[in-house]
Each structure stands twice: as C-alpha cells, then as structure tokens.
C-alpha cells in the first residue's frame, strides 16, 4: 500500500495540448486565420487536421480482442483499469493516457505488438489524438480479461486535453518519412517523464508538417 500511495503522490499530470479546441485543414494540408498565421498538418488526423488518420491498418493477433471504445486512464485513481498504477503502464508520453482492455479467448498467452506510429483516435474531434513513438509489447494471459494502461503522445497541439470521459479507438499506423526517422532515433531508448516532455515537442513539430529539424534530431539523439 505504501508503494502504491508513493506512486500516486509522485505522478502529476503535466499541461497537455492546449484547450482551445480549434480545428484544422480538412485534408491534412494547411489552414489560415486570414492573417499571417498558417497552420499546417502533416496528414489527416495530425496537427490541425480533424480528418480521420490514414496509414497502414492495424490488426490484433488471432484469439485476441480489444474492448471498444478505449477508456481514458487516470494513474492517480486507476480503479477502472484493474487498479494498475503508472509503474505498470506501457509506452511513454504524458498527454494521452488510456486503458486497453484485452480479452484472450485462447488457452495460451498471446503477445500483441503495438508498432510506433500507431494512432489512438479520439471519438471526439475536439480532443487530442494519441500516437506511439516506440514499439509496445504486451503479453495477455490465457483466458483472461486483461487491463493494460498505456501512455502516448499528443498529435494535435490545438485540441483539448484528454479527460476521463473521453474515449478512443485504435487507428492506423502512420507511415510518414519524418515520423519514421523519429521512431528510428528513439528505438531502444528508455524515456523518463522528463525525456518524454522533450519528445513531445518534436512530435508537435512533425505532426504540424514542420519537418524534423537539426535541433529536433539533436534532442532525440541526446536522450
């Protein structure tokens, strides 16, 4: 119990994406406020776009299902995620936190591999989508309803922060070149909360179609 309480006290939510809820281009291009502020999106569902993300479809292994919609996750009070605290969470990122609930219908464990670039699509397009930046591997025990908290990064800087009433579905895996370079630079790295905050800034830049700058590459290489 002391360990659990320590985790509760240690975990504090950082400020997530902004809460103005403004939208973006309909096709992942650019929009303008009529002045000099042109807002870009790398593609649908990213940056300022409110369209559905596109990419390589993701499918679960045979015998494994995922309960939908995906519920939001609170590390401070994870009662809806089988009382699993942040020390049992998968992935990294401070902005999008969900609880994946798997059902293994077989009599053997099943390993599910969530690839970098997998998008968690908010069912409310005023709320931020999430994106993974590293491979996440989860082993689901046989014949079990298994709860797996997962952290991801915000893909839409101008959308509202994820709240406990928000819901998600698994989307596709994005294939954009700049994100592929991000994933390559982060492969195998251990990302603390402080490091994840630095990664988030890079994710915003790439999501908004700004490319991966030399400064961004330096940040990721230094982690």
């Amino acid at each position: 119990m002391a360990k659990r309480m320590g985790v509760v006290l240690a975990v504090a939510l950082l400020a997530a994406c902004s809460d103005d809820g403004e939208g973006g281009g309909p096709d992942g291009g650019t929009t303008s406020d009529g002045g000099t502020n042109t807002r870009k999106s790398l593609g649908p569902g990213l940056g300022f776009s409110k369209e559905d993300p596109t990419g390589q479809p993701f499918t679960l292994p045979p015998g494994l299902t995922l309960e939908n919609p995906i519920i939001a996750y609170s590390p401070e009070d994870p009662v809806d995620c089988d009382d699993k605290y942040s020390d049992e969470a998968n992935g990294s990122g401070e902005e999008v936190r969900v609880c994946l609930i798997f059902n293994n219908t077989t009599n053997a464990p099943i390993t599910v591999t969530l690839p970098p670039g997998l998008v968690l699509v908010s069912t409310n397009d005023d709320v931020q989508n999430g994106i993974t930046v590293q491979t996440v591997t989860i082993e689901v025990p046989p014949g079990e309803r298994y709860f797996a908290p997962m952290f991801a990064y915000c893909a839409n800087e101008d959308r509202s922060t994820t709240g406990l009433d928000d819901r998600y579905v698994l989307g596709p895996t994005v294939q954009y070149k700049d994100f592929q370079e991000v994933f390559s630079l982060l492969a195998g790295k251990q990302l603390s909360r402080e490091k994840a905050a630095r990664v988030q800034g890079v994710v915003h830049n790439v999501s908004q179609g700004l490319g991966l700058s030399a400064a961004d590459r330096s940040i990721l290489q230094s982690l």
Side-chain angles (χ1 to χ4, degrees):
M1 177 62 72
K3 176 185 176 184
R4 292 300 191 197
M5 290 302 295
V7 172
V8 170
L9 294 174
V11 177
L13 288 175
L14 297 182
C17 302
S18 64
D19 294 322
D20 58 16
E22 295 177 359
D27 59 359
T30 63
T31 62
S32 174
D33 60 5
T36 58
N37 181 26
T38 299
R39 304 185 306 164
K40 296 182 178 181
S41 303
L42 178 63
L46 305 175
F48 299 101
S49 168
K50 287 195 173 185
E51 296 301 293
D52 292 334
T54 59
Q56 182 175 322
F58 176 79
T59 57
L60 293 168
L64 192 67
T65 61
L66 177 67
E67 295 184 14
N68 281 303
I70 299 167
I71 63 174
Y73 166 70
S74 169
E76 295 80 13
D77 185 20
V79 61
D80 293 329
C81 201
D82 198 31
D83 288 325
K84 291 185 176 179
Y85 287 82
S86 57
D87 58 341
E88 297 181 78
N90 305 276
S92 64
E94 293 295 321
E95 310 294 8
V96 177
R97 298 170 174 184
V98 299
C99 182
L100 304 177
I101 306 176
F102 295 103
N103 285 277
N104 183 346
T105 61
T106 75
N107 58 4
I110 297 176
T111 298
V112 55
T113 301
L114 307 178
L118 182 65
V119 181
L120 294 162
V121 184
S122 172
T123 59
N124 178 350
D125 65 11
D126 286 330
V127 176
Q128 60 197 17
N129 292 331
I131 187 170
T132 60
V133 299
Q134 294 176 304
T135 299
V136 175
T137 302
I138 301 171
E139 183 175 291
V140 182
E144 188 169 325
R145 184 173 184 245
Y146 185 76
F147 295 75
M150 192 176 85
F151 294 171
Y153 293 82
C154 171
N156 315 95
E157 187 174 15
D158 71 330
R159 294 196 196 182
S160 296
T161 301
T162 304
L164 289 181
D165 292 331
D166 293 317
R167 297 293 180 262
Y168 287 84
V169 295
L170 281 186
T173 302
V174 298
Q175 303 294 308
Y176 302 104
K177 176 178 66 67
D178 286 336
F179 263 128
Q180 293 302 319
E181 185 175 357
V182 170
F183 306 151
S184 177
L185 290 171
L186 290 176
K189 292 184 180 290
Q190 297 294 317
L191 299 179
S192 64
R193 293 185 66 200
E194 184 275 331
K195 291 179 179 179
R198 300 175 70 189
V199 172
Q200 180 63 76
V202 176
V203 170
H204 282 324
N205 291 341
V206 175
S207 294
Q208 293 168 21
L210 302 178
L212 192 65
S213 69
D216 288 336
R217 290 188 184 91
S218 180
I219 287 173
L220 301 183
Q221 290 167 344
S222 70
L223 297 178

